[in-house]
Amino acid sequence: MSALHQRLNKALLIAITAASMSLASCSMPQVDPTSKTIPTDSDQWQQNLGATFENLPKSDQQLLSRYMLRMKLSGAYGSGAMPRTTIKQALIQQREYERLHPNNPTGKKSPLTNQPGITANAQNYPVSLLPVKTSDSDSLNQVKLQFMLSNHGNIAIQSFEGTLTMTDIALTEGKRFDVPLSEFDPAIKPEQSGKIVIESSIEDINVMRAIRNTRDMTIEISQGTLNLIDGQEIKF
Protein backbone atom coordinates (compact mmCIF):
# COMPACT_ATOMS: atom_id res chain seq x y z
CA MET A 1 0.00 0.00 0.00
CA SER A 2 1.37 3.35 -1.00
CA ALA A 3 2.11 6.08 1.48
CA LEU A 4 -0.67 8.13 -0.10
CA HIS A 5 -3.25 5.39 0.53
CA GLN A 6 -2.07 5.04 4.13
CA ARG A 7 -2.51 8.77 4.72
CA LEU A 8 -6.00 8.71 3.15
CA ASN A 9 -7.07 5.71 5.25
CA LYS A 10 -5.77 7.37 8.41
CA ALA A 11 -7.60 10.60 7.64
CA LEU A 12 -10.79 8.66 6.91
CA LEU A 13 -10.50 6.75 10.20
CA ILE A 14 -10.05 10.00 12.13
CA ALA A 15 -13.09 11.50 10.42
CA ILE A 16 -15.24 8.43 11.17
CA THR A 17 -14.11 8.42 14.83
CA ALA A 18 -14.86 12.12 15.24
CA ALA A 19 -18.31 11.68 13.66
CA SER A 20 -19.09 8.75 15.98
CA MET A 21 -18.07 10.75 19.04
CA SER A 22 -20.21 13.66 17.88
CA LEU A 23 -23.25 11.43 17.39
CA ALA A 24 -22.68 9.79 20.77
CA SER A 25 -22.52 13.15 22.51
CA CYS A 26 -25.70 14.28 20.75
CA SER A 27 -27.57 11.14 21.74
CA MET A 28 -26.70 11.45 25.46
CA PRO A 29 -29.70 12.83 27.39
CA GLN A 30 -29.24 16.20 29.06
CA VAL A 31 -29.37 15.97 32.86
CA ASP A 32 -32.14 18.11 34.40
CA PRO A 33 -30.51 20.10 37.24
CA THR A 34 -33.82 20.29 39.12
CA SER A 35 -33.85 16.48 39.51
CA LYS A 36 -30.94 16.64 41.96
CA THR A 37 -31.80 15.80 45.56
CA ILE A 38 -31.15 18.41 48.25
CA PRO A 39 -29.04 17.03 51.15
CA THR A 40 -30.81 16.89 54.49
CA ASP A 41 -27.69 18.35 56.13
CA SER A 42 -27.73 22.06 55.35
CA ASP A 43 -23.94 22.25 55.86
CA GLN A 44 -23.54 20.20 52.67
CA TRP A 45 -25.68 22.42 50.45
CA GLN A 46 -22.84 24.60 49.18
CA GLN A 47 -20.57 21.65 48.43
CA ASN A 48 -23.16 19.37 46.79
CA LEU A 49 -25.34 21.92 45.00
CA GLY A 50 -22.85 24.56 43.94
CA ALA A 51 -22.44 23.54 40.27
CA THR A 52 -26.11 22.56 39.91
CA PHE A 53 -27.21 25.86 41.41
CA GLU A 54 -25.24 27.79 38.77
CA ASN A 55 -27.07 25.93 35.99
CA LEU A 56 -30.46 27.12 37.18
CA PRO A 57 -32.16 30.23 35.75
CA LYS A 58 -31.61 33.34 37.82
CA SER A 59 -35.22 33.41 39.03
CA ASP A 60 -35.00 29.78 40.19
CA GLN A 61 -31.70 30.51 41.96
CA GLN A 62 -33.38 33.25 43.96
CA LEU A 63 -36.42 31.06 44.68
CA LEU A 64 -34.25 28.14 45.82
CA SER A 65 -32.18 30.47 48.02
CA ARG A 66 -35.33 31.63 49.80
CA TYR A 67 -36.46 28.02 50.18
CA MET A 68 -33.13 27.03 51.76
CA LEU A 69 -33.22 29.98 54.14
CA ARG A 70 -36.80 29.12 55.13
CA MET A 71 -35.79 25.50 55.82
CA LYS A 72 -32.80 26.58 57.93
CA LEU A 73 -34.93 29.01 59.95
CA SER A 74 -37.53 26.31 60.56
CA GLY A 75 -34.93 23.72 61.52
CA ALA A 76 -36.38 21.24 59.02
CA TYR A 77 -32.97 20.28 57.65
CA GLY A 78 -29.98 19.10 59.60
CA SER A 79 -32.05 16.49 61.41
CA GLY A 80 -33.09 14.49 58.36
CA ALA A 81 -36.62 15.82 58.75
CA MET A 82 -37.26 16.26 55.01
CA PRO A 83 -35.26 13.65 53.05
CA ARG A 84 -35.30 13.02 49.28
CA THR A 85 -36.58 16.45 48.31
CA THR A 86 -35.50 17.40 44.79
CA ILE A 87 -34.77 20.92 43.63
CA LYS A 88 -37.88 20.75 41.45
CA GLN A 89 -40.06 19.81 44.44
CA ALA A 90 -38.44 22.55 46.54
CA LEU A 91 -39.20 25.17 43.88
CA ILE A 92 -42.84 24.05 43.69
CA GLN A 93 -43.20 24.14 47.48
CA GLN A 94 -41.58 27.57 47.73
CA ARG A 95 -43.80 29.07 45.01
CA GLU A 96 -46.88 27.83 46.83
CA TYR A 97 -45.57 29.08 50.19
CA GLU A 98 -44.90 32.54 48.77
CA ARG A 99 -48.36 32.60 47.22
CA LEU A 100 -49.85 32.05 50.69
CA HIS A 101 -47.31 34.27 52.52
CA PRO A 102 -46.36 37.04 50.08
CA ASN A 103 -45.01 39.29 52.85
CA ASN A 104 -42.84 36.64 54.52
CA PRO A 105 -41.20 34.42 51.85
CA THR A 106 -38.55 32.97 54.17
CA GLY A 107 -40.86 32.24 57.12
CA LYS A 108 -38.95 34.54 59.44
CA LYS A 109 -40.65 34.70 62.82
CA SER A 110 -41.80 37.98 64.28
CA PRO A 111 -39.67 39.28 67.17
CA LEU A 112 -42.93 39.42 69.13
CA THR A 113 -43.34 35.64 69.08
CA ASN A 114 -39.65 34.91 69.70
CA GLN A 115 -39.67 36.50 73.15
CA PRO A 116 -41.23 34.38 75.89
CA GLY A 117 -43.87 36.11 77.98
CA ILE A 118 -44.69 38.73 75.33
CA THR A 119 -48.38 38.81 74.45
CA ALA A 120 -50.43 40.84 72.02
CA ASN A 121 -52.38 43.91 73.01
CA ALA A 122 -56.00 42.70 73.16
CA GLN A 123 -57.21 46.22 72.40
CA ASN A 124 -55.87 45.80 68.86
CA TYR A 125 -58.26 42.87 68.30
CA PRO A 126 -61.60 43.73 69.95
CA VAL A 127 -64.54 41.31 69.82
CA SER A 128 -68.24 42.16 69.80
CA LEU A 129 -71.38 40.01 69.86
CA LEU A 130 -73.79 40.00 66.92
CA PRO A 131 -77.50 39.15 67.27
CA VAL A 132 -77.98 35.62 68.59
CA LYS A 133 -79.52 32.97 66.33
CA THR A 134 -81.38 29.85 67.38
CA SER A 135 -79.37 26.73 66.67
CA ASP A 136 -80.56 23.91 64.44
CA SER A 137 -80.35 21.69 67.52
CA ASP A 138 -83.56 20.63 69.24
CA SER A 139 -82.25 21.86 72.58
CA LEU A 140 -83.82 25.15 73.69
CA ASN A 141 -80.58 26.07 75.42
CA GLN A 142 -78.45 25.60 72.28
CA VAL A 143 -77.79 28.85 70.43
CA LYS A 144 -75.64 29.97 67.55
CA LEU A 145 -73.39 32.81 68.65
CA GLN A 146 -71.85 35.19 66.14
CA PHE A 147 -68.87 37.29 67.18
CA MET A 148 -67.27 40.07 65.17
CA LEU A 149 -63.47 40.20 65.40
CA SER A 150 -61.95 43.56 64.42
CA ASN A 151 -58.38 44.01 63.26
CA HIS A 152 -56.65 47.17 64.46
CA GLY A 153 -53.22 45.69 63.79
CA ASN A 154 -51.02 46.19 60.74
CA ILE A 155 -51.25 42.70 59.17
CA ALA A 156 -54.29 40.80 57.88
CA ILE A 157 -55.63 37.98 60.09
CA GLN A 158 -55.74 34.51 58.50
CA SER A 159 -57.31 32.50 61.34
CA PHE A 160 -58.11 32.38 65.07
CA GLU A 161 -58.40 29.61 67.63
CA GLY A 162 -58.86 30.08 71.35
CA THR A 163 -61.23 31.20 74.10
CA LEU A 164 -63.46 34.28 74.37
CA THR A 165 -64.59 35.49 77.79
CA MET A 166 -67.81 37.44 78.28
CA THR A 167 -68.25 39.62 81.38
CA ASP A 168 -71.39 41.49 82.40
CA ILE A 169 -72.83 43.19 85.47
CA ALA A 170 -75.45 40.42 85.67
CA LEU A 171 -72.83 37.65 85.84
CA THR A 172 -71.02 36.63 89.01
CA GLU A 173 -68.20 35.23 86.87
CA GLY A 174 -67.24 35.47 83.23
CA LYS A 175 -68.70 33.08 80.67
CA ARG A 176 -66.11 31.37 78.50
CA PHE A 177 -66.69 30.35 74.88
CA ASP A 178 -64.26 27.98 73.20
CA VAL A 179 -63.66 28.83 69.54
CA PRO A 180 -62.35 26.06 67.26
CA LEU A 181 -59.95 26.95 64.47
CA SER A 182 -61.74 29.57 62.37
CA GLU A 183 -60.29 30.42 58.94
CA PHE A 184 -61.15 33.80 57.45
CA ASP A 185 -61.72 33.95 53.70
CA PRO A 186 -60.83 36.56 52.78
CA ALA A 187 -58.35 37.38 55.51
CA ILE A 188 -59.36 40.23 57.83
CA LYS A 189 -57.45 43.24 56.57
CA PRO A 190 -56.33 46.05 58.91
CA GLU A 191 -59.27 48.19 60.09
CA GLN A 192 -61.77 45.58 58.92
CA SER A 193 -63.78 42.90 60.73
CA GLY A 194 -64.54 39.21 60.29
CA LYS A 195 -67.20 36.90 61.69
CA ILE A 196 -66.69 34.00 64.11
CA VAL A 197 -69.64 31.61 64.46
CA ILE A 198 -69.92 28.94 67.18
CA GLU A 199 -72.68 26.90 68.79
CA SER A 200 -72.92 26.98 72.56
CA SER A 201 -75.14 25.56 75.26
CA ILE A 202 -76.60 28.40 77.36
CA GLU A 203 -77.98 27.05 80.64
CA ASP A 204 -77.58 30.09 82.90
CA ILE A 205 -80.56 32.44 82.64
CA ASN A 206 -78.30 35.36 83.59
CA VAL A 207 -76.12 34.60 80.59
CA MET A 208 -79.18 34.79 78.33
CA ARG A 209 -80.20 38.09 79.91
CA ALA A 210 -76.72 39.49 79.34
CA ILE A 211 -76.81 38.36 75.69
CA ARG A 212 -80.19 40.04 75.16
CA ASN A 213 -78.99 43.28 76.77
CA THR A 214 -75.42 43.94 75.59
CA ARG A 215 -75.16 47.44 77.08
CA ASP A 216 -72.91 46.40 79.98
CA MET A 217 -71.30 43.43 78.25
CA THR A 218 -67.65 43.12 77.33
CA ILE A 219 -66.06 40.29 75.34
CA GLU A 220 -62.34 39.77 74.90
CA ILE A 221 -59.86 37.12 73.83
CA SER A 222 -58.66 35.50 77.05
CA GLN A 223 -56.36 32.98 75.39
CA GLY A 224 -55.64 31.67 71.93
CA THR A 225 -53.68 32.28 68.75
CA LEU A 226 -54.18 34.68 65.88
CA ASN A 227 -52.42 33.56 62.70
CA LEU A 228 -51.50 36.48 60.46
CA ILE A 229 -51.24 36.36 56.69
CA ASP A 230 -47.43 36.82 56.78
CA GLY A 231 -46.90 33.72 58.93
CA GLN A 232 -46.71 35.42 62.33
CA GLU A 233 -48.51 33.96 65.34
CA ILE A 234 -49.98 36.32 67.93
CA LYS A 235 -50.39 34.58 71.29
CA PHE A 236 -52.83 35.64 74.00
Side-chain angles (χ1 to χ4, degrees), residues 3 23 32 34 63 143 150-151 179 182 203 221 224:
L23 290 173
D32 180 4
T34 64
L63 191 66
V143 295
S150 298
N151 182 7
V179 179
S182 299
E203 299 176 352
I221 302 174

Side-chain angles (χ1 to χ4, degrees), residues 143-147 164 177-180 182 196-200:
V143 295
K144 184 173 292 185
L145 299 178
Q146 300 181 101
F147 301 93
L164 304 177
F177 301 102
D178 293 324
V179 179
S182 299
I196 297 173
V197 181
I198 65 171
E199 290 197 0
S200 179

Side-chain angles (χ1 to χ4, degrees), residues 20 29-30 40 60 62 64 172:
S20 299
Q30 297 295 319
T40 55
D60 284 351
Q62 295 172 350
L64 185 60
T172 55

Side-chain angles (χ1 to χ4, degrees), residues 1 40 52 54 60 66 80 93 104 115 117-118 127 148 161 166 169 173 181 190 192 195 210 212 215 228 232 234-235:
M1 181 180 295
T40 55
T52 304
E54 295 299 326
D60 284 351
R66 294 195 295 272
Q93 292 174 19
N104 190 20
Q115 301 178 34
I118 301 296
V127 181
M148 188 64 72
E161 180 178 17
M166 181 182 77
I169 192 172
E173 61 181 21
L181 180 62
Q192 294 188 9
K195 188 183 295 184
R212 293 191 182 112
R215 183 182 57 187
L228 305 185
Q232 296 183 52
I234 305 297
K235 299 285 188 180

